[in-house]
Amino acid sequence: VLSLATAASAGAGTVRGRIEVIEKGGKQASGLADAVVWVEGPKVKPRPSSATITMKGKSFVPRVAVVPVGGSVEFPNQDPVFHNVFSVSGENRFDLDLYKKPKSGAWVFRHPGLVRVYCNIHPQMSAYVLVRDNPFWARPTENGGFEIPDVPAGAWVVKAWHERAGEASQAVTATEGGVLDVSLTLDGSKWKRAPHKNKFGKDYEAGEKY
């Protein structure tokens, strides 16, 4: 289980458990490592950190990254063609303009929330950056298991997100030194890929120019 480690504090406990994503026909999805689970509510400032999402083969790799408020994401281009990384997600909107290999661009995310990232040239390219305002989050294992340590005692909400199933949440009460077991089910049965607009809010033109 991958999680952002924090210094253990008095009154802290552990939130652990498993998520599942239900797809069409009631089938359980596999490969859940691209999901994110977090505890919403604790007012604890996260440590600074950064992430990298590489453009390679006209794809974003990885497709999902998590950074704290004030954290940055680097977007190196390893393709011999131009890419234009952008997002129109609320206060985290940005535009890195055109560049190609070996150049790179970066952006600092200053507001919590889910950021949808696209390329203005290649509509098939998409990625997600989840910006968190505390350090209590985890990336599940492939089978959905997760563990979030050092969660302060208190009444919080555990949330899980997956690209094809949106969010699920559960109210919890963390206790000093306690271990909370949480199970979250996300409904991806109605998911279908939908086209998005370019950075100007218009449809992409047919064919690639760059």
Side-chain angles (χ1 to χ4, degrees):
V1 176
L2 299 178
S3 64
L4 185 63
T6 60
S9 58
T14 298
V15 175
R16 70 183 183 189
R18 188 173 303 278
I19 70 167
E20 64 176 0
V21 174
I22 305 301
E23 298 183 320
K24 292 180 181 179
K27 179 182 177 181
Q28 289 191 13
S30 58
L32 300 180
D34 271 348
V36 185
V37 185
W38 68 94
V39 181
E40 198 159 276
K43 303 299 182 182
V44 178
K45 186 176 180 180
R47 295 175 179 174
S49 67
S50 60
T52 298
I53 297 178
T54 302
M55 293 174 284
K56 185 176 183 180
K58 297 179 182 178
S59 297
F60 288 112
V61 183
R63 286 177 54 80
V64 179
V66 186
V67 294
V69 170
S72 65
V73 177
E74 188 84 18
F75 294 93
N77 188 351
Q78 293 187 2
D79 285 336
V81 298
F82 284 104
H83 291 306
N84 179 182
V85 187
F86 79 96
S87 177
V88 292
S89 295
E91 295 178 307
N92 282 312
R93 64 188 302 131
F94 68 96
D95 184 352
L96 297 183
D97 294 323
L98 287 168
Y99 59 91
K100 62 181 178 180
K101 184 180 180 179
K103 293 186 177 180
S104 182
W107 192 257
V108 176
F109 294 91
R110 305 191 182 281
H111 305 278
L114 182 66
V115 184
R116 292 171 171 82
V117 180
Y118 304 113
C119 173
N120 196 53
I121 307 302
H122 307 101
Q124 74 271 26
M125 295 176 63
S126 63
Y128 299 87
V129 177
L130 183 65
V131 187
R132 292 297 306 129
D133 57 3
N134 67 44
F136 308 115
W137 61 268
R139 299 292 296 273
T141 58
E142 290 288 336
N143 67 359
F146 69 89
E147 183 172 304
I148 306 173
D150 304 321
V151 177
W156 317 120
V157 176
V158 176
K159 291 189 174 183
W161 170 89
H162 188 274
E163 175 185 359
R164 299 193 303 275
E167 283 188 12
S169 63
Q170 181 178 326
V172 301
T173 300
T175 59
E176 180 177 353
V179 177
L180 276 172
D181 287 305
V182 178
S183 178
L184 292 167
T185 299
L186 294 85
D187 183 5
S189 62
K190 296 180 176 61
W191 180 85
K192 61 180 181 179
R193 190 176 299 279
H196 62 271
K197 303 294 185 179
N198 65 18
K199 67 181 184 180
F200 304 109
K202 299 181 179 180
D203 292 332
Y204 283 76
E205 296 182 7
E208 297 177 358
K209 293 183 178 180
Y210 299 92

